[in-house]
Amino acid sequence: MQDDRKSEIGSSTALNETRRRLLRGAALAGGTVAAASSLGLPRITAAQQGELRPRQVPIAGKLDVPSKTSHWYVPASDKTVHWGYFSKGLQAAIEIRPGDYVTVECLTHQASDDYDRMIKGDPGAESVYYWTKDRKNVNRRGAGPLDAPNGAGAGAGVHILTGPILVSGAEPGDILEVRILDMYPRPCANPQYRGKAFGTNIAAWWGYQYHDLVEEPKPREVITIYELDAAGNRDWAKPIYNYRWVPLTDPNGVVHKIYDYPGLVVDHNNVQENHGILKNVRVPIRPHFGVIGLAPKEADMVNSIPPSYTGGNMDDWRVGKGATLYYPVSVEGALLSAGDTHAAQGDSELCGTAIESSWTGVFQILLHKKNDLEGTILAHLNWPLLETKDEWVVHGFSFPDYLGQLGPNAQEEIFNKSSVDLAMRDAYRKIRDFLMHARNLSEDEAISLISVAVDFGVTQVVDGNWGMHATIKKAVFAGEIV
Amino acid sequence: MQDDRKSEIGSSTALNETRRRLLRGAALAGGTVAAASSLGLPRITAAQQGELRPRQVPIAGKLDVPSKTSHWYVPASDKTVHWGYFSKGLQAAIEIRPGDYVTVECLTHQASDDYDRMIKGDPGAESVYYWTKDRKNVNRRGAGPLDAPNGAGAGAGVHILTGPILVSGAEPGDILEVRILDMYPRPCANPQYRGKAFGTNIAAWWGYQYHDLVEEPKPREVITIYELDAAGNRDWAKPIYNYRWVPLTDPNGVVHKIYDYPGLVVDHNNVQENHGILKNVRVPIRPHFGVIGLAPKEADMVNSIPPSYTGGNMDDWRVGKGATLYYPVSVEGALLSAGDTHAAQGDSELCGTAIESSWTGVFQILLHKKNDLEGTILAHLNWPLLETKDEWVVHGFSFPDYLGQLGPNAQEEIFNKSSVDLAMRDAYRKIRDFLMHARNLSEDEAISLISVAVDFGVTQVVDGNWGMHATIKKAVFAGEIV
C-alpha cells in the first residue's frame, strides 16, 4: 500500500506535470493551489472538535480527489503538541500518506499573556497550559535540561508545535511539498468576548530594540494585546492595551524577572494595563505560520527558535494561505510540525514577536522522491523554498545549516553570531543558484537579473539565526507561456 | 520678491495645511500630488529642445496655479551637468523659487557601454560624452584629484548629475520638498533604433557578487543591455545581449583593465556580444532616480556614490513618479541635483548597478522654513524621508552622516565600513523616532507597531554607505480619517 502510494506520487508522469507547473510559473501554479482550496475542505470548528484526539475526518462530499486521499485532523492538546523543540525522536501525532490533507490546530505560546482572552474556556488551550504546583501537563518547554533552574527545557525554544506529522515513504533526500490551503483564527472561547479572537505582541529581551531604547525605564519588556475578528471578516487588527512585564512567580515558585520561560500565566492584578494606546491604528493582518518545518537529523533535541535548512521558525509572513513550501527531508517520515501562528508581522519582527495568535491550518502534503528531482526546479534544493501566487521566495540565514556548521555547541553559539550581513550573503548565493538550476541561466544572466528584478528583505532579526529573503516575481518569466 | 515668496510658502496657513495633509495620510497626500501631475505640465521632447540652455518654459495653458509660479527646463548638456560629485561650491544651473516646476533631463553615466544605442545622434548626450585626445568636454569625473592616473576626478563618484538647482530662500535647517510629478524615458536618437530606448546593467567590480562567483573566469565584469519602449507603453524591459569587459584604452592612452572610470566608450569590435540571453525574460520596470539630493555642507567635493542625510545616491526604486522626498537643507540655496536614472532595480542593486538609463523628470519644489516645522511631521527630520502614494519610507545607512562621523578621510573610509547590519540599526532608530515624533506615539507604542507593521528591506549593498529602508503603510493610520 505504502509502495503503491510512493509510486503513484513519485511517478515520472506526475513529476513531469509538477515540473511543467513549476517552470511555467504564476498562472498555473496559483491555479492549482486555489483549486484545491476551493474544493471546500470543511473548516473544523471548536463545536465539532469533540475529543482532542488526532483522527481521520470526512472530506467534503464534492471533493473531486482520489478515494485513496484522506483528510486528517490534529487538534491541539497536551497530547498532540511538543513545546519549544523539534526532535527526530518524537512519536508522530499522526501518520499520513503523500497527497493527504491535514487540518492542524496551532496554539500561540504566548496565550498566557492574557489568559481570559486566549485560553479560558478552550479545552485544548487549557490542557496545554495547565500548570499548578502539583501538575504541569506539558512539562518540557524547550530543548534544554529538564532540571534547568527556570523550568523544564529551560525555555530553550518557546513555540507550541502541533505534530509531528509523519509522512509515509518520506526519506532523506526527498522534497516535501506543503500546500497551505486554508488558515483561520481560533475564536476566543470565553463568552465575555464572543466573536472575537486575540493576539499578543511582546517587545522582549531577545528583541532587536531591547538595548537600544530612548524612554525610561531601560531596559523593559512590554506586552501589547491586539483584537481580531474571529469570523475573519475584518482585515486588520486593533490594539487594545499594553502592560510592562513585572517579575512573575510560577507555580513551582521560580521568579521570572524577565520573559524567560514560555507559558507563564500573567496575573493581571499585578500589571498596569494601559488602554487607549495606538489610537485609531489598524494593523493590516497577514496570517501566517511563524514555525512550520521538519525535524533535522543533526541533533536529538533542537531549540525551536533558530530556523534552518528544514525550515522551522522562518517567521516570514508570506507563509500563509495560498503559499506552498518545499523542504528537503532530513529524517525518515519527514516529521512535519507547525505552530507559532501570527496574525501579522512586519519584515524583521523587530521587537522579538509578531501578533502571536492561535490559528488553524489546512495543508495538503505531497512528496517528491529524490531520484525524480533531477531536471526539475526542485533539484539541488537544500533549503526551504517558498512559492506564493506571484513570487518565488528564497530564505537566507546567517548560517544556512547552523547545526552542521557550528559544532557541538551550535545551539548556543548561533545566538552569538546573529548577522543580517551573513544572511544577505546566504540569500544572494541561494537565489543565484536557484535561478541557475531552476531556470537554466548562466551565472552572468542570473546576476544581472538579480540586480534588476530581485528584492532582498529582512525576514527576522530575533531568532538567533537571522534571516534575509530574496523574492522574484513569477511575471519575470511570463514570456515563456505566451 | 524673494521675501514675498518665502512668506507665501512658509506661512503658517500653508504649513498647517501641509501638516494636515501629512498627518492624514494616503488619500489626501496622494491626491495632492496626482492633481499637480494631471494639471498637464507639457513633456518636453527632443524636437522641442532647441539650444541646450537652462531656461523658463511655458506652463500649459490650463494650469490653475498662481501666476508667480514658473516652469523651468534644464536640458542635459556639458554645460549643465557635473559628473561624479556634489559640491556646495558649484554654480547653479538655474535658480528657481519655492513652488516652481522644473523639468530636468538626466543622462545615464553608462551610456557609453553602447554608444550607438544610447548616445549617437543625441546632441545633449554627445556633448557630455565628447572625449578625444584633444578635447574632453566634461573633464572632471569624480571628486578625486584632477591629475589622478585613471583620469580627472579619479572616477571617485560616477554619476552624471544635472544641476544644481538653487532654490531661492532655502537655508540650512529648512526642509526641501521635492515632488516627482512625471518621469519619461529619453528616446534613442539613432534612427536605426527609432521608437526604442535603452539601458545598461553592469555587474561591476564594486558589486556584491564580484568576489563570490561560481563560474569562470573569476572575477569578471559583465555588461547587459536592455531595451525599453521609448513611448512608455510597455511596462517591462527586454534583455538584448551581454558582453564581458575587456581592457579599454581611453583617448588619453590610459588602459582601464576594469570599469574604473565613467564614460569610457566601448569599442564593440573588441568585445564579444552574446545575444539570446535571458530568453523570454521580462523585467518589470520601476523608473526612478538613483541619485537625487542636495549638496552637503561637510566638504567641498563629495563623491556621488555614498548616500547620506542629504539623500543623493539612495538607489531606492520607490523614488519615482508620484513620490515625494523631504530633505534637510544643508547649505544656502539647497542645491538640488538629479541623475542616475534607472528603468528598474531590485532592492539591493546587487551587482552594482540597475538598468541604467536616461530619463527626464518633472518636479515641483516646495520649501518648509525651519521655524515652522515644530508640531509637523517634518520636525526633527535630519534624514531623507520618502512619501509614496501608499507608504512612508525611512532610509537608514551604515553611517547616517558619514562625512560628519568618519573624520577627514570619510570619503575613503566609508567604502571599508559597508554593512547591512549597521544600516539596519540606523533604519530601526529612524523609523522609531519618526513614529514617535510624527504620530506622537510613546516608544512602547512605536516599537510594537514596528514589529507588526513595518517592513525592512535592503536598499542597496553597493554604494559604500549601504542602505536599509523601513516602510510603513499609510493605511495603518486610516482610522484617523474615517
Side-chain angles (χ1 to χ4, degrees):
Chain A
M1 187 62 179
Q2 191 166 310
D3 282 337
D4 286 355
R5 174 65 51 182
K6 275 160 67 179
S7 75
E8 179 194 16
I9 299 297
S11 75
S12 61
T13 308
L15 269 169
N16 283 339
E17 176 51 36
T18 298
R19 189 191 169 205
R20 274 196 296 279
R21 181 175 74 77
L22 291 176
L23 289 175
R24 285 184 180 175
L28 285 170
T32 304
V33 173
S37 175
S38 63
L39 285 174
L41 281 184
R43 286 184 172 181
I44 299 168
T45 63
Q48 301 161 330
Q49 280 175 4
E51 57 175 330
L52 298 173
R53 179 179 60 80
R55 58 192 186 275
Q56 194 169 356
V57 289
I59 292 179
K62 291 178 183 172
L63 262 183
D64 180 23
V65 289
S67 58
K68 284 185 197 167
T69 303
S70 304
H71 178 197
W72 305 89
Y73 169 51
V74 187
S77 81
D78 58 334
K79 303 294 187 298
T80 62
V81 304
H82 44 112
W83 196 328
Y85 61 97
F86 283 91
S87 174
K88 62 186 176 187
L90 274 173
Q91 192 182 350
I94 206 156
E95 178 172 347
I96 69 163
R97 292 174 306 180
D100 282 354
Y101 301 90
V102 200
T103 292
V104 180
E105 290 184 2
C106 298
L107 292 177
T108 176
H109 51 288
Q110 293 189 198
S112 52
D113 291 348
D114 187 332
Y115 192 97
D116 281 359
R117 286 182 171 86
M118 291 184 275
I119 298 173
K120 193 175 179 181
D122 181 326
E126 286 185 348
S127 79
V128 170
Y129 276 87
Y130 191 90
W131 181 7
T132 63
K133 186 164 168 289
D134 302 319
R135 202 176 109 214
K136 187 182 175 192
N137 279 3
V138 184
N139 185 42
R140 173 181 280 287
R141 305 181 185 183
L146 283 174
D147 60 354
N150 63 332
V158 294
H159 312 96
I160 299 174
L161 301 178
T162 307
I165 296 163
L166 187 151
V167 182
S168 63
E171 297 171 297
D174 298 344
I175 298 290
L176 195 76
E177 176 179 346
V178 179
R179 299 178 179 179
I180 304 174
L181 304 183
D182 198 6
M183 195 172 172
Y184 48 94
R186 188 177 186 94
C188 175
N190 182 341
Q192 192 179 345
Y193 303 106
R194 196 181 304 278
K196 295 177 179 175
F198 294 93
T200 172
N201 168 255
I202 174 165
W205 60 267
W206 63 86
Y208 188 84
Q209 82 300 332
Y210 192 61
H211 294 295
D212 192 353
L213 296 167
V214 288
E215 289 187 347
E216 297 292 344
K218 295 188 262 189
R220 63 186 180 274
E221 294 179 293
V222 180
I223 287 94
T224 305
I225 304 295
Y226 290 82
E227 180 191 298
L228 305 163
D229 170 20
N233 293 327
R234 199 176 71 194
D235 66 357
W236 47 276
K238 181 180 173 181
I240 304 294
Y241 70 93
N242 68 16
Y243 64 89
R244 291 183 180 167
W245 184 262
V246 296
L248 181 155
T249 305
D250 72 27
N252 293 359
V254 175
V255 178
H256 300 269
K257 291 188 179 171
I258 56 171
Y259 205 117
D260 68 348
Y261 195 73
L264 302 167
V265 178
V266 172
D267 182 347
H268 280 248
N269 293 317
N270 292 339
V271 300
Q272 172 72 48
E273 292 187 5
N274 305 299
H275 289 257
I277 56 154
L278 288 166
K279 206 176 158 197
N280 291 324
V281 161
R282 298 174 169 188
V283 177
I285 67 167
R286 297 167 160 179
H288 61 279
F289 293 84
V291 177
I292 180 167
L294 311 185
K297 67 172 184 284
E298 286 78 7
D300 289 327
M301 296 290 294
V302 179
N303 185 318
S304 69
I305 293 172
S308 191
Y309 74 96
T310 48
N313 190 30
M314 297 207 300
D315 279 324
D316 184 345
W317 58 263
R318 294 156 191 84
V319 181
K321 179 175 174 173
T324 297
L325 286 152
Y326 303 90
Y327 298 102
V329 173
S330 185
V331 301
E332 298 284 329
L335 298 182
L336 173 74
S337 298
D340 190 30
T341 38
H342 296 161
Q345 182 201 304
D347 274 335
S348 85
E349 201 187 17
L350 190 127
C351 77
T353 61
I355 298 182
E356 311 285 325
S357 169
S358 300
W359 292 65
T360 297
V362 183
F363 310 128
Q364 186 181 23
I365 313 288
L366 301 174
L367 184 64
H368 303 276
K369 296 301 292 177
K370 60 183 165 191
N371 290 336
D372 300 310
L373 300 176
E374 200 55 45
T376 79
I377 206 168
L378 300 177
H380 310 286
L381 198 68
N382 57 1
W383 36 267
L385 171 67
L386 172 64
E387 178 182 4
T388 70
K389 186 166 73 71
D390 298 322
E391 297 173 328
W392 296 101
V393 187
V394 161
H395 292 93
F397 306 116
S398 299
F399 293 86
D401 172 19
Y402 75 100
L403 292 169
Q405 291 174 278
L406 298 182
N409 295 322
Q411 298 196 52
E412 292 98 57
E413 279 301 300
I414 187 65
F415 292 96
N416 301 324
K417 295 175 182 293
S418 308
S419 161
V420 186
D421 275 303
L422 289 176
M424 173 77 205
R425 181 60 63 186
D426 186 41
Y428 153 64
R429 291 175 180 165
K430 283 175 175 167
I431 187 74
R432 178 195 62 197
D433 295 351
F434 174 69
L435 290 172
M436 291 176 71
H437 288 310
R439 316 298 315 191
N440 202 27
L441 299 182
S442 72
E443 187 176 36
D444 291 344
E445 292 177 295
I447 285 171
S448 183
L449 188 57
I450 290 169
S451 201
V452 303
V454 169
D455 293 323
F456 290 78
V458 178
T459 328
Q460 48 75 27
V461 288
V462 292
D463 297 333
N465 202 9
W466 289 3
M468 180 80 79
H469 52 274
T471 302
I472 188 160
K473 289 189 163 48
K474 293 176 179 175
V476 166
F477 307 107
E480 293 178 5
I481 54 168
V482 293
Chain B
M1 187 62 176
Q2 192 165 310
D3 283 337
D4 285 355
R5 173 67 51 182
K6 274 161 68 180
S7 76
E8 180 195 16
I9 299 297
S11 74
S12 62
T13 308
L15 270 169
N16 283 339
E17 176 52 36
T18 298
R19 187 189 172 210
R20 273 196 296 279
R21 181 176 72 77
L22 291 177
L23 289 174
R24 283 184 180 177
L28 284 170
T32 304
V33 173
S37 175
S38 64
L39 285 174
L41 280 184
R43 287 184 172 182
I44 299 168
T45 63
Q48 301 161 330
Q49 279 175 3
E51 56 175 331
L52 298 174
R53 178 178 61 80
R55 59 193 185 274
Q56 194 169 356
V57 290
I59 292 181
K62 292 179 183 170
L63 262 183
D64 180 23
V65 289
S67 58
K68 284 185 196 167
T69 303
S70 304
H71 178 198
W72 305 90
Y73 168 52
V74 188
S77 80
D78 58 333
K79 303 293 187 297
T80 62
V81 304
H82 45 112
W83 197 328
Y85 60 99
F86 284 91
S87 174
K88 61 186 176 187
L90 274 172
Q91 192 181 348
I94 206 156
E95 178 172 348
I96 69 163
R97 293 174 305 181
D100 283 355
Y101 301 89
V102 202
T103 291
V104 180
E105 291 183 1
C106 298
L107 292 176
T108 176
H109 52 289
Q110 293 188 196
S112 52
D113 291 348
D114 187 332
Y115 192 97
D116 282 358
R117 285 183 171 86
M118 291 185 277
I119 299 173
K120 194 174 178 182
D122 181 325
E126 287 185 348
S127 79
V128 170
Y129 275 89
Y130 191 91
W131 183 7
T132 63
K133 187 163 166 292
D134 302 319
R135 201 176 110 215
K136 185 181 176 192
N137 280 4
V138 185
N139 185 42
R140 175 181 279 285
R141 304 180 185 183
L146 283 174
D147 60 354
N150 63 332
V158 295
H159 311 97
I160 298 173
L161 301 178
T162 306
I165 297 163
L166 188 151
V167 182
S168 63
E171 296 172 298
D174 298 345
I175 299 290
L176 196 75
E177 176 178 346
V178 179
R179 300 178 179 180
I180 304 174
L181 305 182
D182 198 5
M183 195 172 172
Y184 48 95
R186 188 177 185 94
C188 175
N190 183 341
Q192 193 179 345
Y193 303 106
R194 198 182 301 279
K196 296 178 177 174
F198 294 94
T200 172
N201 167 256
I202 174 165
W205 61 266
W206 64 85
Y208 188 84
Q209 84 299 331
Y210 192 61
H211 294 295
D212 192 353
L213 296 167
V214 288
E215 289 186 349
E216 297 293 344
K218 295 187 261 189
R220 63 186 181 273
E221 293 179 292
V222 180
I223 287 94
T224 306
I225 305 296
Y226 289 82
E227 180 191 296
L228 305 162
D229 170 20
N233 294 327
R234 199 177 70 196
D235 67 356
W236 46 276
K238 181 180 171 180
I240 304 294
Y241 70 93
N242 69 16
Y243 63 88
R244 291 182 180 168
W245 184 262
V246 296
L248 180 156
T249 306
D250 72 26
N252 293 359
V254 175
V255 177
H256 300 270
K257 290 188 180 172
I258 57 172
Y259 205 116
D260 68 348
Y261 195 72
L264 302 168
V265 177
V266 173
D267 181 347
H268 281 248
N269 292 317
N270 292 339
V271 299
Q272 171 73 48
E273 291 186 7
N274 304 300
H275 290 259
I277 55 155
L278 288 166
K279 207 177 158 198
N280 291 324
V281 161
R282 300 173 169 188
V283 177
I285 68 167
R286 297 167 160 178
H288 61 279
F289 293 85
V291 177
I292 180 166
L294 311 185
K297 66 172 185 285
E298 286 78 6
D300 289 327
M301 296 290 294
V302 179
N303 186 318
S304 69
I305 293 172
S308 190
Y309 73 96
T310 49
N313 189 31
M314 295 206 301
D315 280 324
D316 184 343
W317 58 264
R318 294 157 192 83
V319 180
K321 180 174 175 173
T324 297
L325 287 151
Y326 303 89
Y327 298 102
V329 173
S330 185
V331 302
E332 298 284 330
L335 298 183
L336 173 73
S337 299
D340 190 31
T341 37
H342 296 161
Q345 183 200 304
D347 275 334
S348 86
E349 202 187 15
L350 191 128
C351 77
T353 62
I355 297 182
E356 310 286 326
S357 169
S358 300
W359 292 65
T360 297
V362 183
F363 309 128
Q364 187 181 23
I365 313 288
L366 301 174
L367 184 65
H368 304 276
K369 296 300 293 177
K370 60 184 165 192
N371 291 335
D372 300 311
L373 300 177
E374 201 54 45
T376 78
I377 206 168
L378 301 176
H380 309 285
L381 198 67
N382 58 1
W383 37 266
L385 172 66
L386 173 65
E387 178 183 5
T388 70
K389 186 166 72 70
D390 298 323
E391 297 173 329
W392 296 101
V393 187
V394 160
H395 292 94
F397 306 116
S398 299
F399 293 86
D401 172 20
Y402 75 100
L403 291 170
Q405 290 173 280
L406 297 182
N409 295 322
Q411 299 197 51
E412 290 98 57
E413 278 301 301
I414 188 64
F415 292 96
N416 301 324
K417 295 174 182 294
S418 309
S419 161
V420 185
D421 274 303
L422 290 175
M424 173 76 205
R425 182 60 62 186
D426 186 42
Y428 153 64
R429 291 175 180 164
K430 283 174 175 168
I431 187 74
R432 176 195 63 197
D433 294 351
F434 174 71
L435 291 171
M436 291 176 70
H437 288 307
R439 317 297 317 190
N440 201 27
L441 300 182
S442 71
E443 187 176 35
D444 290 345
E445 291 176 297
I447 285 172
S448 184
L449 188 56
I450 291 170
S451 202
V452 303
V454 169
D455 293 321
F456 288 78
V458 177
T459 329
Q460 47 76 27
V461 287
V462 293
D463 297 334
N465 203 8
W466 289 3
M468 181 81 79
H469 52 273
T471 303
I472 188 160
K473 288 188 164 49
K474 293 176 179 175
V476 166
F477 307 107
E480 293 178 5
I481 53 169
V482 292

